[in-house]
């Protein structure tokens, strides 16, 4: 089970989402009525989920599914199992999904779900029971054409497999009800690496725009989980030097470049599935507090929210920041980075590779036909590059940041479809 972040971020997801939306809405001149219509969620569901623990006790967990906007297609977004899950967080992340799916122009809206639980405290049997009971309480609002969840922090492909099974008991076999499934149950080739691949594609485009050559890239990646590990691996394969990586156990730095394959092999062999205890000639340990200031020119926060904040932003040496995680830069840190001319590629764009391949998975489930991995990867690249260029064009047109450009593209698309539907 992936590691869970215990600390509450410095600035809430909702505050960051609000600040980002309002800036874009100002740029496009959206009036207050439209701001309200776009921002307010379509539907919020809160459920209490009782669970008989294996030690004989009975516990009750709170779960959510928030459907933010479905104008462009079924709601889409992960299910998070974390002790930090609350309505505000789920609402903000659901809203981000509305803009992300619009930005990469896949036919989905935005949603998010979660249960306030630390899955590390549960046995596998308890986690399965919790997942099934949560789904049995929210299944009526899910469906391949209604709302399509995916894995998020603390959940994974196995959890998606239980959801397919549980949902199928009431609705018949419907693998398209979730994405991020195991390959054997209708998952897509290339899904596991997709978010990291999208991060890699954006990093290379951003570097090109800054006139940096791949061989001169010195990359630092915070978070060595699904997103960070694949981003590090793929950038390394492209010829960039990965000089620093970190995970929940701390960081590693080698100015001559870390051996990423060796670190992956080490991590996979450990019971704790972290880089704790890894050693190699030239690799030094770096503390969490010092990580953002390591000597690099590309920084990829791919772990937690608010990772780059008022306390550490002035130590950042990178010229390019690629947001692998959701909401990893606080608005104040973002402002200071922009002032210093650092190019920040926002989460909406940079980590949209996952939802893009989720769309491919959903399409394959409807077609009942599996695509080849090369096909998935090349279509992903086409969509990511198209989105990158759309954002850059909008940012140049309005003379705003890439973040504002991304929100502008997304908000314009959602508003256009809302108007076409003729609700007003
Ligand atoms: P994961 O659980 O696989 O990995 C998270 C990594 O972050 C782990 O290596 C963990 O040890 C590390 N970490 C936790 N706290 C840390 C800290 N304080 N400092 C450094 N490292 C720390 O999760 P993931 O799927 O890679 O997701 C990471 C982020 O990317 C989240 O914000 C998630 O919402 C976002 N995201 C993921 C996907 C996806 O497809 N997996 C898609 C879009 C966005």
């Amino acid at each position: 089970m992936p590691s869970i972040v215990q600390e509450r971020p410095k600035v809430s997801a909702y505050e960051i989402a609000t600040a980002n939306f309002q800036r874009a809405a100002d740029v496009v001149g959206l009036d207050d009525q439209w701001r309200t219509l776009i921002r307010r969620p379509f539907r919020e569901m809160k459920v209490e989920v009782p669970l008989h623990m294996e030690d004989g006790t009975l516990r009750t967990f709170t779960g959510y599914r928030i459907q933010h906007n479905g104008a462009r297609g079924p709601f889409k977004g992960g299910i998070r199992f974390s002790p930090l899950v609350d309505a505000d967080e789920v609402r903000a992340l659901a809203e981000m999904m509305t803009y992300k799916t619009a930005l990469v122009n896949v036919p989905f809206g935005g949603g998010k779900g979660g249960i306030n639980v630390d899955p590390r405290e549960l046995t596998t049997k308890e986690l399965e029971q919790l997942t099934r009971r949560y789904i049995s309480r929210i299944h009526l609002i899910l469906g391949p054409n209604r709302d399509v969840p995916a894995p998020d922090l603390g959940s994974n492909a196995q959890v998606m497999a239980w959801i397919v099974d549980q949902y199928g008991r009431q609705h018949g076999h419907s693998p398209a009800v979730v994405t991020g499934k195991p390959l054997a149950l209708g998952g897509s080739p290339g899904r596991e690496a997709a978010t990291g691949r999208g991060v890699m594609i954006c990093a290379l485009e951003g570097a090109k725009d800054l006139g940096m050559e791949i061989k001169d890239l010195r990359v630092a990646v915070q978070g060595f989980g699904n997103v960070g590990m694949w981003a590090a691996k793929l950038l390394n394969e492209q010829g960039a030097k990965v000089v620093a990586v970190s995970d929940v156990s701390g960081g590693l730095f080698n100015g001559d470049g870390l051996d990423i394959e060796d670190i992956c092999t080490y991590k996979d062999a450990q019971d704790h599935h972290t880089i704790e205890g890894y050693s190699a000639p030239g690799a030094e340990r770096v503390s969490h507090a010092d990580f953002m200031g390591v000597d690099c020119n590309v920084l990829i926060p791919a772990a937690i929210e608010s990772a780059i904040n008022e306390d550490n932003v002035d130590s950042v040496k990178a010229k390019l920041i690629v947001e692998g995680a959701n909401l990893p830069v606080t608005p104040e840190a973002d402002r200071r980075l922009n002032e210093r001319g650092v190019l920040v590629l926002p989460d909406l764009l940079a980590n949209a590779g996952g939802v893009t391949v989720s769309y491919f998975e959903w399409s394959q489930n409807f077609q009942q036909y599996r695509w080849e991995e090369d096909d998935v990867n090349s279509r992903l690249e086409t969509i990511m590059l198209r989105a990158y260029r759309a954002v850059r064009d909008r940012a140049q047109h309005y003379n705003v940041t890439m973040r504002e450009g991304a929100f502008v593209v997304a908000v314009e698309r959602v508003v256009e479809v809302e108007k076409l539907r003729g609700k007003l």
Side-chain angles (χ1 to χ4, degrees):
M1 192 55 60
S3 17
I4 302 301
V5 178
Q6 295 280 7
E7 271 172 51
R8 201 163 275 287
K10 284 184 173 298
V11 184
S12 77
Y14 192 72
E15 287 170 273
I16 300 182
T18 302
N20 290 337
F21 174 85
Q22 295 299 3
R23 280 211 306 268
D26 290 344
V27 171
V28 294
L30 205 61
D31 69 30
D32 284 347
Q33 292 163 30
W34 273 96
R35 288 181 200 221
T36 305
L37 183 140
I38 298 297
R39 289 215 68 205
R40 291 215 184 141
F42 169 77
R43 172 157 48 200
E44 302 197 0
M45 198 173 211
K46 176 171 175 247
V47 291
E48 297 302 327
V49 191
L51 180 67
H52 285 286
M53 310 298 286
E54 290 198 62
D55 66 6
T57 57
L58 176 66
R59 290 180 65 186
T60 303
F61 298 91
T62 305
Y64 304 88
R65 185 72 192 170
I66 297 187
Q67 299 175 330
H68 178 258
N69 186 294
R72 301 183 63 266
F75 304 98
K76 185 88 194 81
I79 290 176
R80 178 173 280 206
F81 291 165
S82 146
L84 300 186
V85 161
D86 61 21
D88 271 358
E89 182 186 78
V90 177
R91 193 178 296 123
L93 294 169
E95 183 178 352
M96 288 301 115
M97 287 305 296
T98 296
Y99 306 139
K100 196 177 295 182
T101 54
L103 175 59
V104 283
N105 220 351
V106 294
F108 288 127
K112 203 80 175 187
I115 302 182
N116 184 292
V117 61
D118 186 342
R120 292 174 306 182
E121 290 175 0
L122 303 186
T123 64
T124 305
K125 209 166 149 191
E126 288 164 348
L127 189 65
E128 177 176 348
Q129 271 314 313
L130 184 68
T131 304
R132 288 184 183 280
R133 296 207 135 200
Y134 166 68
I135 293 303
S136 70
R137 278 159 167 67
I138 66 167
H139 73 98
L140 284 176
I141 63 166
L142 301 183
N145 287 308
R146 282 174 189 263
D147 185 348
V148 184
D152 198 89
L153 289 186
S155 63
N156 57 19
Q158 174 60 72
V159 172
M160 297 305 112
W162 292 328
I163 296 178
V164 169
D165 187 70
Q166 185 65 30
Y167 183 85
R169 289 180 189 189
Q170 277 134 323
H171 301 269
H173 183 55
S174 320
V177 69
V178 287
T179 58
K181 299 178 289 289
L183 213 51
L185 197 58
S188 176
R191 173 63 184 87
E192 199 201 319
T195 307
R197 185 174 293 281
V199 169
M200 177 269 284
I201 293 166
C202 288
L204 296 186
E205 281 303 294
K208 215 191 290 171
D209 283 349
L210 291 174
M212 295 155 85
E213 289 192 40
I214 297 182
K215 66 173 177 44
D216 297 328
L217 301 185
R218 297 160 47 74
V219 184
V221 185
Q222 184 202 42
F224 207 62
N226 175 279
V227 179
M229 188 195 71
W230 278 106
K233 263 187 186 209
L234 294 168
L235 276 162
N236 205 220
E237 271 173 35
Q238 294 293 319
K241 201 179 270 181
V242 179
V243 294
V245 296
S246 75
D247 71 7
V248 72
S249 69
L252 294 166
F253 175 81
N254 183 347
D256 294 328
L258 292 163
D259 184 340
I260 295 302
E261 283 308 322
D262 193 46
I263 299 176
C264 290
T265 309
Y266 174 85
K267 179 190 152 181
D268 288 346
Q270 309 305 309
D271 287 340
H272 48 70
H273 286 293
T274 71
I275 60 174
E276 184 165 20
Y278 176 85
S279 68
E284 305 160 24
R285 298 297 304 183
V286 188
S287 69
H288 284 308
D290 293 337
F291 192 80
M292 292 306 173
V294 294
D295 187 13
C296 67
N297 50 21
V298 181
L299 180 57
I300 303 179
I304 52 171
E305 288 155 25
S306 302
I308 302 177
N309 52 54
E310 291 77 328
D311 297 340
N312 59 22
V313 63
D314 295 331
S315 71
V316 169
K317 298 190 176 60
K319 297 271 168 282
L320 171 62
I321 294 182
V322 189
E323 295 186 341
N326 286 316
L327 310 170
V329 179
T330 64
E332 171 59 17
D334 199 32
R335 196 187 57 75
R336 289 198 219 167
L337 290 167
N338 291 324
E339 252 174 30
R340 280 170 42 198
V342 176
L343 176 60
V344 182
L345 301 181
D347 47 6
L348 274 197
L349 170 68
N351 69 29
V355 77
T356 303
V357 175
S358 276
Y359 162 55
F360 299 159
E361 178 176 333
W362 182 74
S363 306
Q364 291 170 71
N365 295 151
F366 278 115
Q367 293 171 348
Q368 302 191 22
Y369 181 79
R370 178 168 292 164
W371 306 357
E372 295 299 324
E373 185 165 349
D374 285 351
D375 196 17
V376 168
N377 292 344
S378 83
R379 286 176 193 234
L380 170 63
E381 187 172 8
T382 304
I383 289 185
M384 292 301 300
L385 290 177
R386 198 179 290 151
Y388 186 97
R389 286 167 196 151
V391 170
R392 192 180 50 197
D393 286 354
R394 249 27 208 147
Q396 285 172 353
H397 177 80
Y398 286 112
N399 192 22
V400 295
T401 64
M402 289 289 274
R403 187 184 311 283
E404 287 158 339
F407 272 82
V408 166
V409 173
V411 169
E412 283 178 342
R413 285 185 181 153
V414 177
V415 170
E416 182 191 359
V417 175
E418 286 282 11
K419 285 187 175 166
L420 283 170
R421 283 175 173 266
K423 271 188 213 133
L424 294 181

PDB file of all heavy atoms in Angstrom, residues 27-44:
ATOM      1  N   VAL A  27      -8.795  36.808 -15.506  1.00  0.00           N
ATOM      2  CA  VAL A  27      -8.163  36.945 -16.829  1.00  0.00           C
ATOM      3  C   VAL A  27      -9.218  36.864 -17.934  1.00  0.00           C
ATOM      4  O   VAL A  27      -9.201  37.664 -18.868  1.00  0.00           O
ATOM      5  CB  VAL A  27      -7.076  35.853 -17.039  1.00  0.00           C
ATOM      6  CG1 VAL A  27      -6.572  35.845 -18.480  1.00  0.00           C
ATOM      7  CG2 VAL A  27      -5.914  36.073 -16.081  1.00  0.00           C
ATOM      8  N   VAL A  28     -10.145  35.897 -17.817  1.00  0.00           N
ATOM      9  CA  VAL A  28     -11.138  35.751 -18.884  1.00  0.00           C
ATOM     10  C   VAL A  28     -12.383  36.629 -18.652  1.00  0.00           C
ATOM     11  O   VAL A  28     -13.295  36.632 -19.457  1.00  0.00           O
ATOM     12  CB  VAL A  28     -11.589  34.281 -19.114  1.00  0.00           C
ATOM     13  CG1 VAL A  28     -10.459  33.444 -19.629  1.00  0.00           C
ATOM     14  CG2 VAL A  28     -12.190  33.664 -17.865  1.00  0.00           C
ATOM     15  N   GLY A  29     -12.390  37.362 -17.554  1.00  0.00           N
ATOM     16  CA  GLY A  29     -13.498  38.287 -17.284  1.00  0.00           C
ATOM     17  C   GLY A  29     -14.809  37.573 -16.997  1.00  0.00           C
ATOM     18  O   GLY A  29     -15.879  38.023 -17.433  1.00  0.00           O
ATOM     19  N   LEU A  30     -14.747  36.479 -16.243  1.00  0.00           N
ATOM     20  CA  LEU A  30     -15.958  35.711 -15.917  1.00  0.00           C
ATOM     21  C   LEU A  30     -16.747  36.457 -14.837  1.00  0.00           C
ATOM     22  O   LEU A  30     -16.169  36.875 -13.832  1.00  0.00           O
ATOM     23  CB  LEU A  30     -15.509  34.335 -15.390  1.00  0.00           C
ATOM     24  CG  LEU A  30     -16.462  33.169 -15.515  1.00  0.00           C
ATOM     25  CD1 LEU A  30     -16.768  32.900 -16.994  1.00  0.00           C
ATOM     26  CD2 LEU A  30     -15.826  31.921 -14.898  1.00  0.00           C
ATOM     27  N   ASP A  31     -18.053  36.629 -15.034  1.00  0.00           N
ATOM     28  CA  ASP A  31     -18.806  37.377 -14.014  1.00  0.00           C
ATOM     29  C   ASP A  31     -19.133  36.486 -12.811  1.00  0.00           C
ATOM     30  O   ASP A  31     -18.942  35.276 -12.839  1.00  0.00           O
ATOM     31  CB  ASP A  31     -20.052  38.046 -14.611  1.00  0.00           C
ATOM     32  CG  ASP A  31     -21.113  37.032 -15.030  1.00  0.00           C
ATOM     33  OD1 ASP A  31     -21.186  35.956 -14.412  1.00  0.00           O
ATOM     34  OD2 ASP A  31     -21.868  37.314 -15.985  1.00  0.00           O
ATOM     35  N   ASP A  32     -19.650  37.131 -11.754  1.00  0.00           N
ATOM     36  CA  ASP A  32     -19.848  36.426 -10.486  1.00  0.00           C
ATOM     37  C   ASP A  32     -20.827  35.262 -10.606  1.00  0.00           C
ATOM     38  O   ASP A  32     -20.665  34.229  -9.962  1.00  0.00           O
ATOM     39  CB  ASP A  32     -20.360  37.401  -9.416  1.00  0.00           C
ATOM     40  CG  ASP A  32     -19.237  38.287  -8.915  1.00  0.00           C
ATOM     41  OD1 ASP A  32     -18.064  37.962  -9.215  1.00  0.00           O
ATOM     42  OD2 ASP A  32     -19.532  39.297  -8.254  1.00  0.00           O
ATOM     43  N   GLN A  33     -21.866  35.446 -11.432  1.00  0.00           N
ATOM     44  CA  GLN A  33     -22.852  34.364 -11.562  1.00  0.00           C
ATOM     45  C   GLN A  33     -22.209  33.120 -12.168  1.00  0.00           C
ATOM     46  O   GLN A  33     -22.464  32.001 -11.733  1.00  0.00           O
ATOM     47  CB  GLN A  33     -24.008  34.834 -12.440  1.00  0.00           C
ATOM     48  CG  GLN A  33     -24.821  35.923 -11.774  1.00  0.00           C
ATOM     49  CD  GLN A  33     -25.687  36.676 -12.771  1.00  0.00           C
ATOM     50  OE1 GLN A  33     -26.113  36.121 -13.767  1.00  0.00           O
ATOM     51  NE2 GLN A  33     -25.933  37.936 -12.503  1.00  0.00           N
ATOM     52  N   TRP A  34     -21.386  33.344 -13.180  1.00  0.00           N
ATOM     53  CA  TRP A  34     -20.711  32.198 -13.798  1.00  0.00           C
ATOM     54  C   TRP A  34     -19.662  31.595 -12.866  1.00  0.00           C
ATOM     55  O   TRP A  34     -19.472  30.384 -12.833  1.00  0.00           O
ATOM     56  CB  TRP A  34     -20.082  32.601 -15.141  1.00  0.00           C
ATOM     57  CG  TRP A  34     -21.107  32.447 -16.220  1.00  0.00           C
ATOM     58  CD1 TRP A  34     -21.920  33.418 -16.727  1.00  0.00           C
ATOM     59  CD2 TRP A  34     -21.481  31.222 -16.848  1.00  0.00           C
ATOM     60  NE1 TRP A  34     -22.767  32.877 -17.644  1.00  0.00           N
ATOM     61  CE2 TRP A  34     -22.528  31.532 -17.750  1.00  0.00           C
ATOM     62  CE3 TRP A  34     -21.044  29.904 -16.747  1.00  0.00           C
ATOM     63  CZ2 TRP A  34     -23.137  30.565 -18.546  1.00  0.00           C
ATOM     64  CZ3 TRP A  34     -21.644  28.940 -17.546  1.00  0.00           C
ATOM     65  CH2 TRP A  34     -22.674  29.269 -18.425  1.00  0.00           C
ATOM     66  N   ARG A  35     -19.009  32.440 -12.092  1.00  0.00           N
ATOM     67  CA  ARG A  35     -18.033  31.902 -11.130  1.00  0.00           C
ATOM     68  C   ARG A  35     -18.739  30.961 -10.157  1.00  0.00           C
ATOM     69  O   ARG A  35     -18.252  29.881  -9.847  1.00  0.00           O
ATOM     70  CB  ARG A  35     -17.350  33.043 -10.348  1.00  0.00           C
ATOM     71  CG  ARG A  35     -16.384  33.813 -11.198  1.00  0.00           C
ATOM     72  CD  ARG A  35     -15.699  34.919 -10.404  1.00  0.00           C
ATOM     73  NE  ARG A  35     -15.179  35.900 -11.346  1.00  0.00           N
ATOM     74  CZ  ARG A  35     -14.003  36.493 -11.256  1.00  0.00           C
ATOM     75  NH1 ARG A  35     -13.199  36.259 -10.251  1.00  0.00           N
ATOM     76  NH2 ARG A  35     -13.601  37.355 -12.162  1.00  0.00           N
ATOM     77  N   THR A  36     -19.900  31.370  -9.696  1.00  0.00           N
ATOM     78  CA  THR A  36     -20.642  30.542  -8.739  1.00  0.00           C
ATOM     79  C   THR A  36     -21.088  29.248  -9.405  1.00  0.00           C
ATOM     80  O   THR A  36     -20.918  28.157  -8.853  1.00  0.00           O
ATOM     81  CB  THR A  36     -21.880  31.318  -8.224  1.00  0.00           C
ATOM     82  OG1 THR A  36     -21.426  32.548  -7.697  1.00  0.00           O
ATOM     83  CG2 THR A  36     -22.615  30.534  -7.163  1.00  0.00           C
ATOM     84  N   LEU A  37     -21.635  29.376 -10.620  1.00  0.00           N
ATOM     85  CA  LEU A  37     -22.148  28.184 -11.304  1.00  0.00           C
ATOM     86  C   LEU A  37     -21.024  27.172 -11.538  1.00  0.00           C
ATOM     87  O   LEU A  37     -21.191  25.973 -11.328  1.00  0.00           O
ATOM     88  CB  LEU A  37     -22.777  28.582 -12.647  1.00  0.00           C
ATOM     89  CG  LEU A  37     -23.412  27.430 -13.422  1.00  0.00           C
ATOM     90  CD1 LEU A  37     -24.711  27.892 -14.071  1.00  0.00           C
ATOM     91  CD2 LEU A  37     -22.500  26.848 -14.474  1.00  0.00           C
ATOM     92  N   ILE A  38     -19.880  27.657 -11.963  1.00  0.00           N
ATOM     93  CA  ILE A  38     -18.775  26.739 -12.270  1.00  0.00           C
ATOM     94  C   ILE A  38     -18.197  26.123 -11.000  1.00  0.00           C
ATOM     95  O   ILE A  38     -17.896  24.942 -10.944  1.00  0.00           O
ATOM     96  CB  ILE A  38     -17.653  27.466 -13.063  1.00  0.00           C
ATOM     97  CG1 ILE A  38     -18.182  27.971 -14.408  1.00  0.00           C
ATOM     98  CG2 ILE A  38     -16.431  26.559 -13.265  1.00  0.00           C
ATOM     99  CD1 ILE A  38     -18.658  26.910 -15.358  1.00  0.00           C
ATOM    100  N   ARG A  39     -18.075  26.926  -9.948  1.00  0.00           N
ATOM    101  CA  ARG A  39     -17.344  26.423  -8.778  1.00  0.00           C
ATOM    102  C   ARG A  39     -18.168  25.491  -7.883  1.00  0.00           C
ATOM    103  O   ARG A  39     -17.644  24.570  -7.283  1.00  0.00           O
ATOM    104  CB  ARG A  39     -16.836  27.593  -7.927  1.00  0.00           C
ATOM    105  CG  ARG A  39     -15.703  28.314  -8.616  1.00  0.00           C
ATOM    106  CD  ARG A  39     -14.704  28.809  -7.631  1.00  0.00           C
ATOM    107  NE  ARG A  39     -13.960  27.766  -6.969  1.00  0.00           N
ATOM    108  CZ  ARG A  39     -13.392  27.892  -5.782  1.00  0.00           C
ATOM    109  NH1 ARG A  39     -13.520  28.997  -5.103  1.00  0.00           N
ATOM    110  NH2 ARG A  39     -12.700  26.904  -5.259  1.00  0.00           N
ATOM    111  N   ARG A  40     -19.461  25.725  -7.766  1.00  0.00           N
ATOM    112  CA  ARG A  40     -20.241  24.916  -6.806  1.00  0.00           C
ATOM    113  C   ARG A  40     -20.407  23.492  -7.312  1.00  0.00           C
ATOM    114  O   ARG A  40     -20.794  23.286  -8.461  1.00  0.00           O
ATOM    115  CB  ARG A  40     -21.605  25.545  -6.578  1.00  0.00           C
ATOM    116  CG  ARG A  40     -21.479  26.829  -5.822  1.00  0.00           C
ATOM    117  CD  ARG A  40     -22.647  27.047  -4.889  1.00  0.00           C
ATOM    118  NE  ARG A  40     -22.482  28.352  -4.270  1.00  0.00           N
ATOM    119  CZ  ARG A  40     -23.457  29.196  -4.026  1.00  0.00           C
ATOM    120  NH1 ARG A  40     -24.700  28.867  -4.339  1.00  0.00           N
ATOM    121  NH2 ARG A  40     -23.223  30.355  -3.454  1.00  0.00           N
ATOM    122  N   PRO A  41     -20.150  22.505  -6.457  1.00  0.00           N
ATOM    123  CA  PRO A  41     -20.264  21.107  -6.901  1.00  0.00           C
ATOM    124  C   PRO A  41     -21.693  20.728  -7.261  1.00  0.00           C
ATOM    125  O   PRO A  41     -22.651  21.209  -6.652  1.00  0.00           O
ATOM    126  CB  PRO A  41     -19.808  20.309  -5.689  1.00  0.00           C
ATOM    127  CG  PRO A  41     -19.170  21.267  -4.775  1.00  0.00           C
ATOM    128  CD  PRO A  41     -19.708  22.613  -5.072  1.00  0.00           C
ATOM    129  N   PHE A  42     -21.813  19.840  -8.239  1.00  0.00           N
ATOM    130  CA  PHE A  42     -23.112  19.327  -8.665  1.00  0.00           C
ATOM    131  C   PHE A  42     -23.765  18.536  -7.525  1.00  0.00           C
ATOM    132  O   PHE A  42     -24.948  18.673  -7.239  1.00  0.00           O
ATOM    133  CB  PHE A  42     -22.892  18.431  -9.891  1.00  0.00           C
ATOM    134  CG  PHE A  42     -24.073  17.615 -10.313  1.00  0.00           C
ATOM    135  CD1 PHE A  42     -25.113  18.202 -11.005  1.00  0.00           C
ATOM    136  CD2 PHE A  42     -24.139  16.254 -10.023  1.00  0.00           C
ATOM    137  CE1 PHE A  42     -26.205  17.447 -11.403  1.00  0.00           C
ATOM    138  CE2 PHE A  42     -25.224  15.504 -10.415  1.00  0.00           C
ATOM    139  CZ  PHE A  42     -26.269  16.101 -11.109  1.00  0.00           C
ATOM    140  N   ARG A  43     -22.964  17.649  -6.895  1.00  0.00           N
ATOM    141  CA  ARG A  43     -23.558  16.802  -5.845  1.00  0.00           C
ATOM    142  C   ARG A  43     -22.466  16.385  -4.854  1.00  0.00           C
ATOM    143  O   ARG A  43     -21.352  16.069  -5.248  1.00  0.00           O
ATOM    144  CB  ARG A  43     -24.150  15.550  -6.488  1.00  0.00           C
ATOM    145  CG  ARG A  43     -24.618  14.504  -5.499  1.00  0.00           C
ATOM    146  CD  ARG A  43     -25.648  13.563  -6.066  1.00  0.00           C
ATOM    147  NE  ARG A  43     -25.324  13.012  -7.348  1.00  0.00           N
ATOM    148  CZ  ARG A  43     -26.231  12.489  -8.194  1.00  0.00           C
ATOM    149  NH1 ARG A  43     -27.506  12.456  -7.865  1.00  0.00           N
ATOM    150  NH2 ARG A  43     -25.854  11.985  -9.339  1.00  0.00           N
ATOM    151  N   GLU A  44     -22.837  16.363  -3.556  1.00  0.00           N
ATOM    152  CA  GLU A  44     -21.887  15.917  -2.540  1.00  0.00           C
ATOM    153  C   GLU A  44     -22.537  14.804  -1.737  1.00  0.00           C
ATOM    154  O   GLU A  44     -23.627  14.968  -1.214  1.00  0.00           O
ATOM    155  CB  GLU A  44     -21.526  17.061  -1.588  1.00  0.00           C
ATOM    156  CG  GLU A  44     -20.927  18.257  -2.295  1.00  0.00           C
ATOM    157  CD  GLU A  44     -20.209  19.209  -1.342  1.00  0.00           C
ATOM    158  OE1 GLU A  44     -20.182  18.933  -0.132  1.00  0.00           O
ATOM    159  OE2 GLU A  44     -19.682  20.217  -1.830  1.00  0.00           O
TER     160      GLU A  44
END
